[in-house]
């Protein structure tokens, strides 16, 4: 009886140790930080909901718990081993979601030069229903602009929104713009640093030129940290602007999910609706092969500028 009791105690102790080991098991600090960067991108640039971001987080934590490596040490075979493992345990829809999460995460890492090679690049996504992104109309964009308060911070947010509309750039690209990136003294073109450290020149419609001058002359100096910064927008970060934009859109009674990237989709749709050649749309939005500022033909810049002015894109 005594031996049986000892055996039971030993079994309980082993089970407890196993549970404690399982609880203590966690992903590395490096993986946590890179996942955080990725989730911030999803939330503040792509406009993903909290539940979507939480789902991505769970999927990535599960993946890194399985492979037990840092994100920049993952090889292609590790990804395929994980997919083989979850294929035996999960339904097709769940597997498809997890595969998509890994592919999206590593595409982000590769484009931001966090990894030298995309280990999930050769993995084929499982087929799923394609949904077109929600877009804003010109009227809705104007309502958002009109609801920016007439304070230095409000005018800064208004100009950021107009830059998003006028350039099709990502919010991180806009917030990193420096005054020197204005192509000339008349503010006719903006030089945007995009992927692979390549510049593209984007035209600014005529009415917007005066607003840029007015902001720089009147409002920028009243913003915090303006004197010590070369940036056009010295007093905001991606998260802060994302929160401000949500409030502005709500005040404008826009029921759609408004986030910085929605302007990019909306601009493309509006330009195509106005019979703009798709190759020009791709160039404006940075989807085509990026042409450096040094070799960008001047007549093409004038043509793009005329297009923006003709359809009053972003104008009040």
């Amino acid at each position: 009886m005594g031996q049986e009791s000892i055996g039971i105690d030993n079994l309980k102790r082993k089970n407890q140790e196993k549970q404690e080991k399982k609880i203590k098991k966690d992903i590395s600090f490096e993986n946590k930080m890179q996942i955080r960067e990725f989730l911030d991108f999803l939330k503040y640039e792509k406009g993903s909901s909290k539940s979507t971001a939480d789902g991505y987080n769970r999927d990535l934590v599960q993946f890194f718990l399985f492979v037990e490596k840092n994100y920049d040490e993952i090889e292609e075979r590790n990804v395929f081993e994980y997919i083989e493992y979850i294929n035996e345990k999960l339904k097709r829809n769940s597997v498809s979601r997890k595969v998509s999460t890994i592919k999206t995460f590593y595409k982000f890492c590769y484009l931001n030069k966090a990894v030298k090679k995309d280990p999930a690049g050769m993995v084929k996504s499982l087929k799923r229903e394609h949904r077109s992104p929600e877009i804003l109309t010109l009227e809705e964009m104007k309502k958002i602009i009109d609801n920016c308060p007439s304070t230095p911070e409000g005018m800064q947010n208004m100009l950021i929104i107009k830059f998003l509309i006028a350039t099709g750039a990502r919010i991180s690209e806009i917030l990193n713009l420096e005054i020197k990136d204005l192509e000339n003294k008349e503010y006719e073109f903006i030089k945007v640093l995009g992927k692979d450290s390549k510049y593209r020149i984007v035209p600014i419609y005529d009415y917007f030129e005066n607003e840029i001058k007015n902001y720089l002359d009147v409002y920028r100096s009243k913003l915090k940290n303006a004197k010590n910064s070369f940036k056009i927008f010295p007093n905001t970060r991606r998260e802060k602007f994302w929160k401000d934009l949500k409030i502005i859109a709500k005040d404008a009674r826009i029921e759609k999910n408004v986030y910085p990237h929605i302007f990019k989709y909306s601009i493309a749709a509006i330009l195509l609706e106005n019979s703009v050649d798709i190759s020009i749309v791709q160039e404006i939005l940075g989807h085509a092969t990026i042409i450096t500022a040094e070799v960008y033909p001047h007549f093409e810049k004038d043509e793009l500028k005329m297009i923006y002015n003709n359809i009053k894109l972003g104008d009040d």
Side-chain angles (χ1 to χ4, degrees):
M1 190 71 176
Q3 289 181 344
E4 184 179 349
S5 177
I6 293 172
I8 292 173
D9 289 340
N10 286 337
L11 183 61
K12 286 182 178 179
R13 179 172 50 80
K14 288 180 180 180
N15 285 336
Q16 185 177 356
E17 289 175 355
K18 189 176 180 181
Q19 247 346 86
E20 289 176 355
K21 185 178 180 182
K22 186 177 180 181
I23 292 171
K24 289 178 181 179
K25 190 176 182 182
D26 197 1
I27 63 175
S28 69
F29 174 77
E30 290 79 8
N31 286 340
K32 286 181 180 179
M33 294 304 295
Q34 190 60 24
I35 290 175
R36 172 63 64 85
E37 286 287 323
F38 173 62
L39 296 181
D40 283 349
F41 166 75
L42 290 178
K43 186 175 181 180
Y44 303 124
E45 292 201 27
K46 302 290 284 185
S48 299
S49 66
K50 184 181 184 301
S51 60
T52 298
D54 289 345
Y56 274 107
N57 184 57
R58 285 192 298 270
D59 289 344
L60 289 171
V61 168
Q62 289 169 7
F63 170 68
F64 286 119
L65 284 175
F66 176 83
V67 295
E68 296 183 323
K69 287 184 176 181
N70 284 343
Y71 71 93
D72 55 351
E73 299 172 336
I74 300 298
E75 300 175 34
E76 189 176 280
R77 63 180 180 84
N78 301 132
V79 179
F80 280 106
E81 286 171 357
Y82 178 69
I83 294 172
E84 184 178 354
Y85 168 75
I86 60 177
N87 257 325
E88 297 175 356
K89 296 179 172 293
L90 303 174
K91 294 181 179 180
R92 180 182 176 84
N93 287 343
S94 296
V95 174
S96 177
R97 189 196 70 243
K98 291 180 184 297
V99 170
S100 177
T101 294
I102 295 169
K103 285 180 66 66
T104 304
F105 172 76
Y106 272 106
K107 183 178 179 181
F108 168 82
C109 291
Y110 180 73
L111 290 175
N112 286 276
K113 299 183 179 180
V115 295
K116 293 181 178 179
K117 184 179 179 181
D118 181 357
M122 297 300 292
V123 179
K124 292 183 179 180
S125 296
L126 302 183
K127 291 183 179 180
R128 58 181 181 176
E129 184 181 356
H130 176 72
R131 293 187 299 172
S132 298
E134 193 171 40
I135 63 171
L136 296 170
T137 64
L138 270 176
E139 182 181 358
E140 287 171 329
M141 285 192 273
K142 288 176 181 177
K143 284 183 179 179
I144 291 171
I145 289 169
D146 289 342
N147 273 272
C148 293
S150 299
T151 61
E153 289 78 12
M155 297 304 291
Q156 178 178 241
N157 283 332
M158 179 192 290
L159 202 66
I160 292 171
I161 293 169
K162 289 198 170 188
F163 264 111
L164 288 169
I165 293 171
T167 65
R170 295 181 299 166
I171 183 60
S172 56
E173 294 171 344
I174 297 298
L175 296 184
N176 285 325
L177 285 173
E178 297 184 359
I179 296 175
K180 68 179 177 60
D181 293 324
L182 293 167
E183 180 66 0
N184 55 35
K185 293 181 181 180
E186 297 303 318
Y187 309 130
E188 294 177 319
F189 308 101
I190 192 75
K191 186 166 65 174
V192 179
L193 180 63
K195 296 174 183 178
D196 299 323
S197 300
K198 295 290 182 67
Y199 282 101
R200 70 180 186 276
I201 302 298
V202 181
I204 301 300
Y205 52 90
D206 291 336
Y207 187 84
F208 190 30
E209 294 170 17
N210 294 326
E211 293 194 339
I212 295 173
K213 294 176 185 177
N214 185 53
Y215 165 79
L216 292 176
D217 292 342
V218 179
Y219 295 101
R220 185 183 180 278
S221 61
K222 297 177 182 179
L223 294 168
K224 186 179 178 181
N225 301 325
K227 293 182 180 179
N228 300 320
S229 175
F230 295 106
K231 291 184 178 181
I232 297 176
F233 307 109
N235 190 40
T236 193
R237 294 185 177 182
R238 188 171 57 183
E239 180 178 357
K240 182 181 182 300
F241 175 74
W242 181 84
K243 291 178 178 178
D244 289 347
L245 181 60
K246 291 289 184 185
I247 295 171
I248 294 167
K250 184 179 179 181
D251 290 343
R253 297 184 179 180
I254 305 297
E255 295 182 358
K256 295 175 182 176
N257 178 27
V258 178
Y259 52 96
H261 221 63
I262 197 173
F263 294 105
K264 193 183 191 83
Y265 299 136
S266 303
I267 293 161
I270 291 168
L271 290 173
L272 292 173
E273 285 173 4
N274 282 270
S275 302
V276 177
D277 186 88
I278 190 169
S279 62
I280 295 177
V281 176
Q282 288 176 324
E283 187 60 51
I284 293 172
L285 302 185
H287 290 159
T289 301
I290 304 299
I291 302 175
T292 59
E294 291 73 17
V295 299
Y296 204 112
H298 184 72
F299 76 90
E300 289 188 8
K301 292 194 289 185
D302 284 342
E303 182 182 359
L304 296 178
K305 187 171 167 56
M306 181 180 65
I307 290 167
Y308 274 97
N309 290 333
N310 284 345
I311 65 173
K312 307 294 183 187
L313 191 58
D315 206 344
D316 285 335

